[in-house]
Amino acid sequence: MPSADLHQDLRREVRDLCKAFPDAYWRELDAARAYPDAFVRALTDAGYLAALIPEEYGGSGLGVTEASIILEEVNRSGGNAGACHAQMYTMGTLLRHGSEAQKRAYLPQIASGALRLQAFGVTEPTTGSDTTQLKTTATRKGDRYVIRGQKVWISRAEHSDLLLLVVRTTPIEQVTKRTDGLSVLLVDLRTAVGHGLTIRPIRTMMNHATTELFFDDLDVPADTLVGEEGRGFRYLIDGLNAERILIAAECIGDGRWFVERATRYASGRVVFNRPIGQNQGVQFPIARAHVNVEAADLMRFRAAELFDRGAPCGAEANMAKLLAADASWEAANVAVQTHGGFGFAEEYDIERKFRETRLYQVAPISTNLILAYVAEHVLGLPRSY
Ligand SMILES: Cc1cc2nc3c(=O)[nH]c(=O)nc-3n(C[C@H](O)[C@H](O)[C@H](O)COP(=O)(O)OP(=O)(O)OC[C@H]3O[C@@H](n4cnc5c(N)ncnc54)[C@H](O)[C@@H]3O)c2cc1C
């Protein structure tokens, strides 16, 4: 089937699935800060979270392009793919760098939904965006690693069986490049919690199931190591491009949802005896938001296409994330403004989605850090940090 038809079918199918999870579903979860278990189960059962897993391991063997369409449609329906998107980009590290034994042990179970790989542990409280300075260590003791340290903002850890964890295995003073000496471990949370790992939830402005992790000599088998010891930073970068493209697509979905809602409201709301959308002061910001969402979408597909061809796509993935996050945030503001007071009412869902899409100015990489990347790596300007 030509890819345009495949994409249209995929959009329609995901949209149909999302109809069973209307605004009220997400609104109630938001109020309770509860995890969308039923939605994640439905998405898993339909095979969508296994989109990137090759068929030989039980997935559908699709590309980042298709995976991004799935997540876009979730957000476009009014939902929030942030509840489960990590399963798509974390498993890429396992797929590309894991041993055959690890892939056979985990990927089919992840594809079937028997195991959830929803947690990705990079950020630390004292190092933030400066990833190479992370201080959580894993020390090799015979056939075990002993993990010590702390992570923050590790989302979905309470709803995941596995955690892809980035640690330092060689002290930074002993490496020539600061990107060396980091490693990736696939930690089984089911046995770790209560035996050296404590998870503490963090309540945030939106419903995101994020947590702090405390590692107090957590002892794990040495075969939890993914790939080679000390090369984890490289593995991380691989996965980050996929993450940026997928989150750009979620922002596109949000942006379209805001534009649709703003358009609908502006057409129906009558003030001064005419629809507010008849005023250029109301319609132009909506039109501009639409233009910017569509422009960002082109960069998202450009980045996805490069990624799926195995071509370098760091610049495009970063630019797609920045443009899409800016476009969705602009559209969110426009939607609130168009709705007047009702933009602030929970029952309209605008304020919920506004809070949700705000995250993408900061996570998984902040706008400033993308600009620093483009300045240094694309334009050749001096490194600023
Ligand atoms: C809800 C939520 C969920 C998250 N989920 C995860 C997760 O699952 N796993 C995970 O590992 N992490 C996660 N994160 C962490 C997220 O990736 C980080 O918050 C983000 O990378 C920014 O790091 P920081 O918060 O430490 O900010 P900092 O690095 O402290 O930066 C603070 C501000 O300073 C700016 N800044 C810093 N340095 C520079 C510089 N050199 N030049 C210009 N500006 C600079 C930044 O742009 C930012 O605006 C999550 C965060 C949130 C809020």
Side-chain angles (χ1 to χ4, degrees):
M1 188 188 289
S3 65
D5 293 347
L6 173 78
H7 293 171
Q8 281 314 318
D9 286 355
L10 187 59
R11 283 186 189 281
R12 204 170 27 251
E13 286 158 19
V14 178
R15 232 173 262 177
D16 283 348
L17 183 149
C18 290
K19 282 185 189 144
F21 302 93
D23 291 347
Y25 172 78
W26 296 100
R27 198 183 310 142
E28 281 160 26
L29 291 172
D30 179 67
R33 290 294 188 274
Y35 190 72
D37 272 317
F39 170 75
V40 176
R41 171 57 48 205
L43 211 60
T44 308
D45 289 348
Y48 293 126
L49 290 186
L52 289 169
I53 298 180
E55 283 170 289
E56 60 173 309
Y57 299 110
S60 37
L62 296 170
V64 159
T65 304
E66 288 76 27
S68 80
I69 288 172
I70 294 168
L71 298 182
E72 177 196 334
E73 288 299 331
V74 171
N75 279 35
R76 190 178 181 169
S77 78
N80 185 1
C84 53
H85 55 195
Q87 181 127 321
M88 288 190 173
Y89 50 76
T90 47
M91 76 85 216
T93 306
L94 180 59
L95 181 64
R96 284 187 293 275
H97 307 289
S99 66
E100 194 50 40
Q102 284 170 328
K103 289 192 257 187
R104 297 251 163 249
Y106 294 116
L107 291 177
Q109 293 207 62
I110 294 170
S112 75
L115 273 182
R116 289 169 301 181
L117 170 52
Q118 288 287 5
F120 185 34
V122 183
T123 310
E124 299 194 355
T126 60
T127 47
S129 305
D130 198 358
T131 308
T132 60
Q133 302 301 314
L134 62 80
K135 295 180 179 66
T136 299
T137 55
T139 311
R140 185 79 186 245
K141 298 223 165 115
D143 61 353
R144 319 282 299 173
Y145 279 108
V146 177
I147 307 171
R148 224 183 148 68
Q150 191 182 338
K151 296 277 173 186
V152 70
W153 305 122
I154 308 310
S155 305
R156 303 161 300 272
E158 295 171 296
H159 305 280
S160 187
D161 300 307
L162 302 166
L163 160 72
L164 202 71
L165 179 68
V166 185
V167 291
R168 188 158 271 293
T169 38
T170 308
I172 196 153
E173 312 76 58
Q174 291 174 24
V175 292
T176 37
K177 273 169 61 193
R178 60 196 174 142
T179 48
D180 290 342
L182 295 173
S183 299
V184 172
L185 303 178
L186 188 62
V187 174
D188 192 329
L189 290 167
R190 296 166 300 175
T191 48
V193 176
H195 298 94
L197 172 61
T198 307
I199 303 182
R200 192 186 295 162
I202 307 175
R203 200 177 155 95
T204 56
M205 68 188 256
M206 67 293 176
N207 185 19
H208 201 86
T210 197
T211 70
E212 269 179 298
L213 305 181
F214 300 88
F215 297 91
D216 193 8
D217 290 337
L218 172 69
D219 190 313
V220 297
D223 66 7
T224 55
L225 177 74
V226 177
E228 272 179 60
E229 191 181 287
R231 292 170 65 86
F233 191 78
R234 195 164 311 186
Y235 305 160
L236 189 64
I237 296 293
D238 258 18
L240 294 184
N241 285 334
E243 182 186 48
R244 278 161 207 176
I245 297 166
L246 293 172
I247 287 180
E250 289 174 42
C251 291
I252 299 290
D254 280 345
R256 291 192 167 135
W257 184 90
F258 285 120
V259 168
E260 279 161 17
R261 290 291 167 114
T263 304
R264 192 193 310 167
Y265 189 80
S267 305
R269 171 76 169 170
V270 175
V271 183
F272 299 112
N273 296 320
R274 58 180 179 168
I276 57 169
Q278 199 177 331
N279 303 300
Q280 291 182 335
V282 174
Q283 61 179 229
F284 283 7
I286 303 173
R288 184 179 290 277
H290 171 73
V291 170
N292 288 335
V293 170
E294 292 304 308
D297 197 37
L298 296 177
M299 185 62 83
R300 161 270 189 109
F301 276 116
R302 167 95 183 117
E305 185 248 329
L306 290 170
F307 187 98
D308 286 335
R309 272 204 274 129
C313 66
E316 289 78 6
N318 274 293
M319 291 191 289
K321 156 68 173 60
L322 182 141
L323 291 168
D326 281 357
S328 74
W329 180 231
E330 178 195 9
N333 274 305
V334 167
V336 170
Q337 199 67 22
T338 305
H339 280 75
F342 293 107
F344 299 84
E346 289 180 355
E347 65 174 298
Y348 279 75
D349 298 288
I350 302 291
E351 62 81 36
R352 171 176 61 80
K353 293 280 283 179
F354 174 92
R355 287 182 279 114
E356 287 170 1
T357 216
R358 181 63 179 83
L359 174 64
Y360 299 119
Q361 294 288 320
V362 171
I365 179 172
S366 67
T367 303
N368 277 1
L369 269 287
I370 294 181
L371 292 172
Y373 174 92
V374 171
E376 182 187 340
H377 296 282
V378 180
L379 304 179
L381 287 162
R383 187 179 174 82
S384 62
Y385 57 91

